[in-house]
Amino acid sequence: MSQPGYPAAFPALEQKAAAVDLSGVDAEGAFSGYASLFGSADLSGDVVLPGAFLRSIARRQVSGIRMLYQHDPTEPIGVWTEIREDQRGLFVRGRLMLDVARGRDVASLMRAGALDGLSIGFKTVRARADRASGVRHLTEIDLWEISIVTFPMQPDARVQAVKSRAPQPAARLALRMRRAARSLNQRNPK
């Protein structure tokens, strides 16, 4: 079965989103952060384990994993220049294409703090379910794409470094508000 918006030959992909701080993007549209965090349950109860992406990244290479807007295959908005696993999760570095209208729009929204999520589009290769807790542990993932999205599934994943000009006052306020919300969520887990 294919996914809406994808050609019939494309399999239905699962999606997992991670909140990121994308309040600054450099003049070339470059940014970096984490598209997935290891050992952290997302809002659907899935936990990605270390090593889950290694085979897929080796097989597809960075150039074979697309940067999309809101998981829409008709809206590529940039290129990934680095995708790798580290001890924290799936680290990504990319560049928005500012000569494409949607790329400019996304860069502007990121600078303003209005768009702050990364999400992976993938097929599960191997997973094991913990029936007692309802958690699914993803041990191998076939990664197809990483999207910039509005609503993230992993609220604690954040961009570590963004090349940026001096933040605008609105962007600084948005960043402070996100940090305060994250702090409150850590003090009052659900």
Side-chain angles (χ1 to χ4, degrees):
M1 170 190 275
S2 70
Q3 188 162 319
Y6 285 83
F10 279 47
L13 300 179
E14 296 177 67
Q15 300 168 352
K16 298 290 174 204
V20 294
D21 177 6
L22 300 175
S23 58
V25 179
D26 78 359
E28 290 101 31
F31 65 96
S32 63
Y34 285 86
S36 179
L37 295 176
F38 296 140
S40 176
D42 66 19
L43 298 177
S44 68
D46 284 348
V47 174
V48 178
L49 299 179
F53 298 101
L54 292 176
R55 282 183 156 174
S56 184
I57 294 168
R59 185 178 62 257
R60 290 189 187 279
Q61 300 294 305
V62 173
S63 62
I65 299 169
R66 302 295 177 228
M67 181 190 295
L68 302 178
Y69 176 67
Q70 305 285 1
H71 296 292
D72 185 342
T74 66
E75 295 227 43
I77 56 171
V79 294
W80 296 111
T81 57
E82 181 179 1
I83 301 174
R84 63 177 164 81
E85 284 194 16
D86 66 16
Q87 71 283 355
R88 186 168 184 224
L90 185 65
F91 177 82
V92 297
R93 186 180 317 276
R95 190 176 76 251
L96 293 167
M97 297 292 98
L98 301 179
D99 53 347
V100 174
R102 179 68 75 192
R104 286 189 304 275
D105 293 346
V106 169
S108 178
L109 292 166
M110 290 166 72
R111 287 182 187 121
L115 194 55
D116 64 355
L118 287 177
S119 180
I120 58 175
F122 66 97
K123 287 194 61 108
T124 301
V125 177
R126 285 194 331 240
R128 65 178 190 277
D130 181 338
R131 293 189 181 159
S133 68
V135 172
R136 183 172 70 146
H137 297 272
L138 303 173
T139 57
E140 186 176 348
I141 288 174
D142 183 13
L143 183 63
W144 283 57
E145 55 96 359
I146 302 168
S147 286
I148 298 175
V149 298
T150 307
F151 299 108
M153 292 287 282
Q154 268 192 335
D156 293 331
R158 299 285 169 189
V159 164
Q160 299 300 301
V162 179
K163 291 183 178 179
S164 177
R165 60 181 189 236
Q168 303 293 327
R172 284 194 303 267
L173 175 61
L175 177 60
R176 286 196 305 269
M177 290 173 68
R178 283 192 299 276
R179 286 179 180 157
R182 186 174 62 232
S183 175
L184 286 172
N185 285 340
Q186 289 172 347
R187 284 188 239 150
N188 301 313
K190 292 180 181 178

